[in-house]
Amino acid sequence: MKLPKFMNAVIMTAAITMGGSAVQAQQAGGSMVFLVQPEPPTMAGYVSTSGPIGLLGPKIYDGLFDYDNDGKMIPVLAESYDTSADGKTVTFNLRKGVTWHDGKPFTSADVQFTIMEVLKKVHPRGPNSFKEVSSIDTPDAHTAVFNLGNPAPYMLRALSAYESPMVPKHLLEGQDIKSAKLANNPVGTGPFKFTEWKKGQYIRLDKNESYWKEGRPYIDRIVGRFIPDASTRAAAMEKGEVLYAAYNAVSNVEAVRLNKEKDNISVTTDGYSMINPMALIEFNTKEGPFTDAVVRRAISTAIDRQYMIDTIFFGYGNPATSALSSNFAATGLHAEMPHYPATGDIAAANQMLDDAGYKKDSDGVRMKAMFDLIPYGEDWKRGGQYIQQVLGEIGIDVELRYEDVPTWLKRVYHNYDFDMNLNYFYQLSDPVLGVHRHYGTNMIRKGTHFVNSSRYSNADLDALLGAGMTEPDAEKRSAIYMEIQEILARDMPVVNLFELEFLTVYNTKLKGAYGSAMGAYSSFADAYLD
Amino acid sequence: MNSFWNRFSRNKSAVLGLFILGLVVFMASIAGLIYPDDPFLYSRFPLSGPGVNGFLLGSDSIGRDVASGIAHGAKTSLLIGLIATLAAVFIGVIFGAFAGYYGGLVDDVLMRITEVFQTIPSFVFAILLVAIMKPSIESVVIAITVVSWPAVARLVRGEFLALKNREFVQACHTLGMGDVRIMMAEILPNCLSPIIVIGSLMVATAILIESGLAFLGLGDPNVMSWGFQISDGRSMLRVAWWICTFPGIAILITVLAINLVGEGLNDALNPRLRERN
């Protein structure tokens, strides 16, 4: 595979000459190759929220709205919406003249079908997002009226192409949605059409010539490449073979190096605010050593969050200060709580355990525990090993367990056979969507992944979560979530560690791809090559 | 014994290997004295180069001392190599002895079983076993044992086949000795030399398999080992070369030393082959 030196020179010259002509902005044409890691199982974003599907799906399917980096709603398939005074009716005015990639027109019937028959039934988070939607009326082809049981302000944060893609009724109706052929031959209304899937290598999407937005997309072709090895991915980025890598497809350490060493490679942490990933420890509150909230609070107090961010994630991240991400501060739903010190306080943690009567034995051990680690790679193993050392200092002797993904999921979310578990959750764009599932009694769902595995159950909290879900008034809602955060800072069934900041590494040749809060999970209709 | 040492020391590289191996064993045995702290202990000085901030061979991404890891890792590597080899030799000798001594149906059955294990590529098989059991020091030892014993079984069977009709064995029969006694007390001592040689080489293989498993993330996360250090530092090779370079060198010279010793043992224990050079 090694090219002779002079060949490289020839290619380089050619590249420079071609690049030289691209002076005017927003030039159309070109191929955009980016990293998709790992290879997705299907492209059915309406059935799975899996990351790699999110990278490709929103380029093929549109949502009703998109969101800009300030969280403002940008019209996509819906041009506008109206909420009735009581908050129980939301009317969407749909864009006219939109067609599916197969030429059929997009109408309100598609919206009705997507929400009621697809997202509410088979989507992992749809049943939550559209819980209050009891029916959808379609007075004409371009109007969809959502009838809600209760006001559901959070629903308007879940309308992106990633979270709620609009799917064609005529290709899914009457079929088993989960096994429909559409999963591997996606037909959407988005800026790019699915063309080819070469298993193990790439997925190719081509420009949708009849896209509803005039003059878009700029790019002719998008190729999502699958490269299993991390160092090869970094090398592909370095050599300019791929132009875009999100969700840490290029590891932080390499990203920092490339950003520093290469003029044409940059990194950004934008594009993840609707995802809101939070690193955390889930505790088994029903059995084992962590049934007492004091111990859980002591652990939260001992861990040096900033140290973990600095050393394991190379400075990208923010220490958690409550059960909710600080990104919710914009909507008034976040406040700093006690027992979340940024730098850790071993002495205070020891004091808490001493006061609670947990005596150290002659080896300095108060209790033993098993610590499961999310099997997503070395970073998490390193994090676990750090926490193991810290807990040793406060007299908790933990053993680490690192298993394969299915075994781990079964252990934590089906058998509840764990003491403490290092993990991360997406808190998403609203606590209702991403956080309630972690704490509500109704979210103790044996066998469902990433819900309340702590089996924490508190009637007061349940009532507050219910109230927070339906409260339309921003100020009252803020007060409800203050109370929720206070309860969770006291009981701590889950200790939040830090808000992860995923990194997007990109070649500066790629422009216009950074305007959406959905980041890599956005359509790329406005992206162009310079 | 003297003549054994004479023959062994005639192979200069074997003596060098023995010396290096001695150093590694010494390092492993005093690891707890020179680095009394847990090798997983983090510090405030991540990614320090060799010699910087008091780290002889540098520190890793969360500030753990690479040198301490190598010293403690030596213990892990040697112990795993030794225990897995002993277990494999034990199983292999029993299978091989019975198959070779009795022949016929017993031989067929035992050798078919052995072949089942031999047909699966050993490293892939080891990965599979560790993945099925949870990654822990025990499961790694078991996996290495399971993939290593068939070679011993085949070797021992061959030796037993060759020896079982010799006069001294027939003499034992006439004296009315039991089969097990003949096998273990008479034939086995006569085929010890090749077993020792294959065993010594197996220790080296076992260390490599353990490192390979740890490299793939299938090591025990609670136990420091060279393979773990390499897998931990691999993603940072471009930024901090020392994290995986030094454990890599440790594996290289240890495995080389064991192989040299094995060669030397072979020369010393099989004097007839000695003149081949």
Side-chain angles (χ1 to χ4, degrees):
Chain A
M1 242 341 266
K2 221 171 152 185
L3 287 170
K5 263 251 154 64
F6 73 91
M7 277 296 285
N8 270 330
V10 171
I11 292 168
M12 281 299 284
T13 323
I16 290 164
T17 336
M18 285 193 289
S21 62
V23 226
Q24 79 273 39
Q26 281 110 359
Q27 184 189 317
S31 286
M32 203 286 288
V33 185
F34 76 123
L35 287 173
V36 173
Q37 169 58 25
E39 182 166 3
T42 70
M43 274 186 285
Y46 48 90
V47 177
S48 171
T49 49
S50 158
I53 301 180
L55 294 175
L56 293 156
K59 294 164 183 67
I60 304 167
Y61 295 102
D62 280 326
L64 291 177
F65 282 90
D66 194 12
Y67 306 87
D68 70 12
N69 281 320
D70 299 324
K72 229 177 74 206
M73 291 168 78
I74 303 169
V76 182
L77 287 178
E79 287 181 312
S80 63
Y81 73 95
D82 275 314
T83 307
S84 66
D86 64 357
K88 291 188 180 179
T89 312
V90 185
T91 306
F92 290 92
N93 304 306
L94 305 179
R95 193 175 295 282
K96 298 190 175 82
V98 177
T99 56
W100 297 99
H101 294 162
D102 63 3
K104 298 255 171 22
F106 162 79
T107 68
S108 54
D110 291 310
V111 176
Q112 183 194 43
F113 177 80
T114 300
I115 306 282
M116 301 308 291
E117 301 300 320
V118 181
L119 299 179
K120 265 184 83 100
K121 289 187 176 161
V122 297
H123 191 272
R125 300 192 283 249
N128 220 355
S129 308
F130 301 105
K131 181 168 180 260
E132 300 296 345
V133 181
S134 52
S135 67
I136 294 178
D137 299 331
T138 52
D140 64 62
H142 302 291
T143 309
V145 183
F146 287 36
N147 301 309
L148 311 182
N150 289 297
Y154 53 87
M155 185 183 83
L156 295 174
R157 313 298 300 163
L159 300 176
S160 70
Y162 165 64
E163 200 63 35
S164 304
M166 290 298 128
V167 294
K169 180 181 183 182
H170 65 279
L171 293 177
L172 279 176
E173 199 175 23
Q175 300 182 47
D176 176 18
I177 307 278
K178 284 191 175 182
S179 60
K181 279 208 190 86
L182 191 67
N184 291 317
N185 293 294
V187 174
T189 58
F192 296 95
K193 290 196 273 197
F194 170 72
T195 311
E196 189 189 9
W197 185 343
K198 198 130 189 176
K199 294 274 178 193
Q201 295 186 40
Y202 61 83
I203 285 177
R204 181 182 138 193
L205 313 177
D206 285 331
K207 182 176 185 167
N208 174 10
E209 297 288 354
S210 50
Y211 191 52
W212 54 265
K213 195 169 182 181
E214 196 55 39
R216 309 286 158 83
Y218 294 119
I219 294 172
D220 283 343
R221 178 179 299 167
I222 286 188
V223 179
R225 271 190 70 187
F226 321 127
I227 303 178
D229 180 64
S231 10
T232 317
R233 287 198 296 274
M237 193 77 219
E238 185 165 6
K239 284 168 68 187
E241 281 177 20
V242 297
L243 300 181
Y244 186 89
Y247 289 87
N248 289 23
V250 170
S251 66
N252 278 10
V253 57
E254 289 286 348
V256 171
R257 180 181 68 82
L258 290 173
N259 189 26
K260 200 160 48 179
E261 290 178 5
K262 307 290 274 188
D263 291 338
N264 60 341
I265 294 177
S266 274
V267 301
T268 176
T269 54
D270 282 349
Y272 299 102
S273 60
M274 304 285 282
I275 302 295
N276 253 333
M278 176 75 83
L280 47 85
I281 299 171
E282 294 163 284
F283 291 101
N284 188 337
T285 63
K286 288 284 175 219
E287 53 204 343
F290 301 121
T291 49
D292 185 350
V294 174
V295 183
R296 306 195 291 262
R297 284 201 297 273
I299 290 174
S300 178
T301 305
I303 293 172
D304 188 335
R305 295 171 162 81
Q306 192 61 49
Y307 179 80
M308 292 187 77
I309 294 167
D310 289 344
T311 58
I312 299 166
F313 292 94
F314 292 86
Y316 289 95
N318 297 303
T321 50
S322 101
L324 299 182
S325 162
S326 64
N327 286 331
F328 294 135
T331 38
L333 302 182
H334 172 265
E336 291 190 10
M337 290 288 147
H339 311 305
Y340 293 91
T343 53
D345 189 339
I346 304 272
N350 265 317
Q351 191 63 46
M352 288 163 83
L353 292 171
D354 285 340
D355 292 349
Y358 292 98
K359 297 269 177 297
K360 283 187 178 176
D361 69 9
S362 52
D363 296 327
V365 176
R366 300 178 205 268
M367 59 185 78
K368 287 180 187 293
M370 189 60 96
F371 188 12
D372 286 282
L373 308 179
I374 178 173
Y376 284 15
E378 292 308 315
D379 290 345
W380 299 100
K381 206 186 259 184
R382 231 173 269 145
Q385 285 165 339
Y386 161 74
I387 294 170
Q388 181 185 38
Q389 293 289 322
V390 170
L391 297 190
E393 290 177 51
I394 62 167
I396 303 175
D397 182 18
V398 298
E399 195 182 323
L400 302 178
R401 184 161 50 197
Y402 188 88
E403 295 171 313
D404 58 304
V405 177
T407 313
W408 170 74
L409 285 172
K410 187 154 191 238
R411 177 187 296 285
V412 176
Y413 295 105
H414 188 268
N415 298 341
Y416 302 125
D417 177 21
F418 73 105
D419 296 336
M420 59 192 285
N421 179 43
L422 183 64
N423 200 349
Y424 69 89
F425 261 55
Y426 289 167
Q427 294 208 335
L428 302 175
S429 52
D430 189 283
V432 172
L433 307 174
V435 182
H436 284 207
R437 58 186 167 141
H438 228 152
Y439 301 105
T441 306
N442 60 342
M443 282 293 155
I444 306 177
R445 292 161 65 190
K446 195 176 167 77
T448 303
H449 301 157
F450 302 109
V451 289
N452 185 353
S453 64
S454 302
R455 288 180 288 165
Y456 172 73
S457 175
N458 177 342
D460 294 342
L461 185 84
D462 289 342
L464 286 164
L465 292 176
M469 201 162 182
T470 51
E471 179 57 61
D473 181 73
E475 228 162 275
K476 284 186 198 156
R477 192 158 188 247
S478 165
I480 292 169
Y481 280 97
M482 289 306 128
E483 236 179 296
I484 289 175
Q485 289 172 89
E486 274 162 24
I487 292 176
L488 291 174
R490 190 188 69 220
D491 289 355
M492 282 203 175
V494 171
V495 166
N496 282 356
L497 296 175
F498 48 89
E499 296 155 11
L500 282 160
E501 274 184 328
F502 283 127
L503 278 189
T504 301
V505 187
Y506 62 95
N507 194 306
T508 48
K509 218 171 111 175
L510 177 67
K511 300 203 187 301
Y514 320 101
S516 166
M518 299 307 296
Y521 295 167
S522 68
S523 75
F524 278 27
D526 296 329
Y528 62 95
L529 301 176
D530 197 0
Chain B
M1 197 61 210
N2 237 339
S3 70
F4 168 80
W5 174 247
N6 281 340
R7 272 179 273 142
F8 184 83
S9 59
R10 218 172 293 165
N11 183 339
K12 291 287 174 283
S13 52
V15 177
L16 177 69
L18 191 65
F19 176 71
I20 295 172
L21 189 59
L23 280 184
V24 176
V25 173
F26 179 70
M27 178 171 78
S29 58
I30 62 158
L33 292 174
I34 45 176
Y35 295 108
D37 285 330
D38 190 329
F40 285 106
L41 188 69
Y42 64 97
S43 76
R44 297 281 147 183
F45 307 104
L47 298 179
S48 308
V52 179
N53 291 327
F55 295 108
L56 181 62
L57 302 179
S59 69
D60 74 4
S61 65
I62 61 171
R64 294 176 293 213
D65 189 339
V66 173
S68 165
I70 289 178
H72 285 271
K75 212 159 45 183
T76 314
S77 294
L78 291 177
L79 270 180
I80 287 179
L82 213 61
I83 295 172
T85 302
L86 286 177
V89 165
F90 180 75
I91 299 170
V93 162
I94 290 186
F95 263 70
F98 277 86
Y101 186 81
Y102 287 109
L105 188 64
V106 178
D107 186 24
D108 279 346
V109 171
L110 293 179
M111 281 305 109
R112 292 306 82 78
I113 295 173
T114 313
E115 275 159 16
V116 168
F117 283 88
Q118 280 190 308
T119 47
I120 310 171
S122 60
F123 190 62
V124 177
F125 194 24
I127 292 173
L128 186 73
L129 288 170
V130 175
I132 292 171
M133 306 179 274
K134 83 178 166 80
S136 70
I137 200 95
E138 293 86 15
S139 64
V140 170
V141 169
I142 291 171
I144 297 175
T145 306
V146 168
V147 301
S148 305
W149 70 268
V152 184
R154 297 221 72 114
L155 175 90
V156 172
R157 171 178 174 269
E159 293 290 322
F160 269 64
L161 276 177
L163 291 174
K164 72 173 179 187
N165 293 321
R166 298 275 281 275
E167 288 85 349
F168 74 96
V169 178
Q170 284 167 355
C172 294
H173 282 300
T174 19
L175 286 173
M177 278 189 192
D179 287 345
V180 174
R181 187 167 163 204
I182 295 175
M183 275 192 273
M184 295 304 152
E186 301 298 332
I187 305 181
L188 188 59
N190 280 293
C191 56
L192 223 43
S193 317
I195 296 176
I196 290 174
V197 173
I198 197 177
S200 68
L201 296 175
M202 265 169 57
V203 175
T205 320
I207 291 176
L208 280 180
I209 295 180
E210 189 276 331
S211 306
L213 288 172
F215 179 74
L216 294 177
L218 290 168
D220 191 332
N222 298 288
V223 179
M224 184 54 83
S225 83
W226 294 339
F228 163 75
Q229 287 187 288
I230 294 179
S231 86
D232 189 54
R234 190 178 75 114
S235 58
M236 275 164 257
L237 190 59
R238 298 282 295 269
V239 181
W241 57 271
W242 53 88
I243 305 174
C244 46
T245 305
F246 292 116
I249 293 173
I251 293 175
L252 174 77
I253 61 174
T254 306
V255 170
L256 182 69
I258 294 173
N259 273 303
L260 292 176
V261 171
E263 276 286 297
L265 283 175
N266 194 25
D267 289 357
L269 293 170
N270 297 323
R272 276 159 301 158
L273 295 173
R274 183 163 38 91
E275 306 305 334
R276 67 193 162 151
N277 305 336

